[in-house]
Amino acid sequence: MPEPDAITIAAWARLLRVSRMLLDRVEADLKQAGLPPLVWYDALHEIAEAGDAGLRPYEVIERMVLAQYNASRLLARLEKEGLIQRDRCPADGRGQIVRITPEGRDLRRRMWAVYGPAIAEHFGDQLTSWDVRELDRMLVRLAEGQTD
């Protein structure tokens, strides 16, 4: 397998640094507003999007945008805070289904009130609409080139 050229290595490193920088800025905005970390929003979003059917815990983790290495601890914390509930899985008596609670929906809305504007400020406002569309096109191409 061939080695990447210098510009590819530089672009890769820049992509990672910019991604981390943007996430750090959003995290700082959430913290300043007295809200929990972005990973909470990510988990609540995925659970809410599943609707009344809920998700199995492993499905929550598979769908999350952010890497979550302590997934079971995250779900346990969300449950302790009353933001999610766990029910028995009808198809598998030993399994669980995770559903968002009204309190979880409320927190998700409050977090989005900070998160949405942070995306605009730290990302969207820094680029033209053409830049955003082009970046999206390139990211889709990269994502579609990946195989599981």
Side-chain angles (χ1 to χ4, degrees), residues 57-113:
Y58 75 89
E59 293 174 309
V60 175
I61 305 316
E62 287 176 353
R63 294 178 184 200
M64 289 178 64
V65 173
L66 303 173
Q68 177 52 40
Y69 301 104
N70 297 308
S72 36
R73 264 192 261 169
L74 171 65
L75 293 176
R77 179 75 190 269
L78 295 174
E79 183 179 27
K80 181 180 175 191
E81 297 292 327
L83 304 171
I84 64 170
Q85 67 183 42
R86 296 180 199 235
D87 299 314
R88 285 187 173 265
C89 177
D92 174 7
R94 294 177 298 168
Q96 297 176 336
I97 297 289
V98 179
R99 293 183 177 88
I100 194 166
T101 64
E103 295 82 6
R105 289 184 196 288
D106 179 61
L107 177 62
R108 180 177 171 232
R109 276 191 293 277
R110 288 187 291 122
M111 290 183 79
W112 181 251

Side-chain angles (χ1 to χ4, degrees), residues 7-55:
I7 192 67
T8 301
I9 294 168
W12 171 254
R14 189 170 290 112
L15 175 66
L16 295 177
R17 279 193 303 272
V18 168
S19 176
R20 181 76 254 153
M21 176 194 70
L22 292 171
L23 288 171
D24 287 348
R25 288 178 181 174
V26 170
E27 289 282 5
D29 291 347
L30 289 169
K31 186 175 184 175
Q32 184 177 2
L35 294 166
L38 186 55
V39 70
W40 285 37
Y41 178 87
D42 195 12
L44 291 172
H45 174 76
E46 293 305 332
I47 296 166
E49 289 296 303
D52 293 337
L55 291 173

